[in-house]
Amino acid sequence: MRDLVAGMGYLAKGQKWVARHGRWWGFGMIPALITLAGYIVALVLLSTRADDLAAWATPFADGWGSPWQGLLRGALAAITFGGGLLIALITFTAVTLLVGQPFYESLCEKVDETEGGAPAKPEIPLWRELLISARDSLYVLVRVLAFGILLFGCGFIPVVGQTVVPVAGFCVSGFFLVVELSAVALQRRGVPQAERIRLLRRRLPLALGFGVPLILLFLVPLLTVLAMPGAVAGATLLARDLVPVQEDRDGEEDPAAQEDPAAQESGEHPGGARGGTSHGGGPAFASACPENPYAEPPQVRNPHRGGVEANPYRSAP
């Protein structure tokens, strides 16, 4: 329950952040406005051509009399437009994130800067970032469609289909929406998509608390445009707590050893780990195991392991 409330809190914090930084709120709306304009044009064209498509798909009804021909083709035209509208609603967020990759990268970086502890920007060309984003979005979309087909089948089960299935549908959509929105921030922290999904799945109430209310807001296209910058900012704040960035401590003495000089001389830390000396004769630094395995610590020399510990998801420079 605490994580559920915390997820809602991140959503509110993101909206408050863009409210305090009005220029970035307007900047973050640009991709959603571009996507919305494109979808409106596509839906208008579809509505004007739906009757022609219905007539093309039903040549066998050319000889039918009134009203049967009109009923069949009118129903097929309505289904065609409704299907296009449904596809638009399902794909709007993914397409907006793909179009807005450079915009949301800058927004995410600004949130990190204002909150402190920003990770180093990955040295990846823009075209490669877009390619990775498109691949990840397609992967998420396929999963959402798979769950959608399963839930659609379960919808025919009496009682369950009218109660449990709609709730499950909102939860699935909300979870994968958080996966999409946090992708930019977690990718900046070197976490690949499969690990991002597992990370959010382990904190499922947190993800649902953020994503489900946002799905309800996104049912209204205009609210999607207005809320998208705050949603990206909130997802960045959520990602910061899931995968915190550790400050560089390379070359510093171990604080635990400083507190206990006797332990430093004997090479034993208060936590019970054995210490040692570096090859240069100075005190060795035994790095504590970070709470989050996906945090991006600087490379820290650990003499007990004889190597360098680093984020396994961040490519070496």
Side-chain angles (χ1 to χ4, degrees):
M1 186 64 182
R2 182 180 300 176
D3 272 357
L4 196 66
V5 175
M8 297 178 187
Y10 282 115
L11 181 58
K13 289 177 183 177
Q15 302 301 327
K16 289 179 181 178
W17 189 93
V18 295
R20 293 196 307 268
H21 304 79
R23 185 173 70 88
W24 286 96
W25 181 52
F27 180 79
M29 282 196 294
I30 294 175
L33 289 171
I34 293 173
T35 306
L36 181 62
Y39 273 114
I40 288 175
V41 171
L43 289 172
V44 168
L45 290 175
L46 181 61
S47 66
T48 59
R49 298 293 183 179
D51 291 335
D52 295 336
L53 289 173
W56 172 80
T58 57
F60 55 86
D62 289 340
W64 290 13
S66 179
W68 307 114
Q69 184 190 81
L71 289 174
L72 174 65
R73 290 180 173 174
L76 186 58
I79 291 172
T80 300
F81 181 78
L85 183 61
L86 179 61
I87 292 173
L89 291 174
I90 292 174
T91 61
F92 183 85
T93 301
V95 173
T96 300
L97 290 172
L98 180 60
V99 172
Q101 177 72 21
F103 295 86
Y104 296 141
E105 177 73 26
S106 299
L107 177 58
C108 176
E109 184 177 357
K110 185 64 177 180
V111 173
D112 274 329
E113 286 179 0
T114 58
E115 298 299 316
K121 185 176 181 179
E123 298 180 0
I124 302 176
L126 177 60
W127 67 268
R128 184 170 176 80
E129 286 187 8
L130 294 175
L131 184 62
I132 293 174
S133 179
R135 182 198 62 192
D136 291 350
S137 296
L138 181 61
Y139 179 76
V140 170
L141 182 60
V142 169
R143 287 198 166 199
V144 171
L145 290 176
F147 276 106
I149 293 172
L150 177 62
L151 292 173
F152 177 78
C154 293
F156 294 99
I157 302 175
V159 182
V160 174
Q162 293 73 45
T163 55
V164 177
V165 170
V167 175
F170 278 112
C171 290
V172 169
S173 300
F175 174 80
F176 282 107
L177 179 60
V178 178
V179 171
E180 287 274 45
L181 290 173
S182 62
V184 175
L186 291 177
Q187 186 176 325
R188 280 169 52 82
R189 286 157 173 77
V191 184
Q193 189 190 52
E195 291 299 326
R196 295 199 294 264
I197 292 176
R198 280 195 285 267
L199 185 62
L200 289 169
R201 195 167 54 201
R202 285 197 294 268
R203 301 292 300 278
L204 187 59
L206 182 70
L208 295 181
F210 186 95
V212 173
L214 200 55
I215 281 289
L216 296 175
L217 288 176
F218 281 10
L219 291 176
V220 182
L222 182 59
L223 288 181
T224 304
V225 175
L226 296 175
M228 182 63 81
V232 174
T236 303
L237 295 173
L238 185 148
R240 286 173 56 84
D241 286 348
L242 286 177
V243 187
V245 178
Q246 293 187 347
E247 299 293 336
D248 188 355
R249 299 177 61 185
D250 194 13
E252 295 183 3
E253 292 184 355
D254 189 352
Q258 291 179 7
E259 294 175 2
D260 189 354
Q264 181 177 348
E265 291 180 3
S266 63
E268 183 175 343
H269 290 280
R274 297 292 301 172
T277 57
S278 63
H279 296 294
F285 177 78
S287 64
C289 179
E291 292 184 2
N292 194 317
Y294 309 117
E296 184 185 358
Q299 293 187 346
V300 180
R301 184 74 57 179
N302 189 338
H304 304 300
R305 296 184 180 178
V308 174
E309 294 181 348
N311 189 339
Y313 303 110
R314 175 72 68 184
S315 57

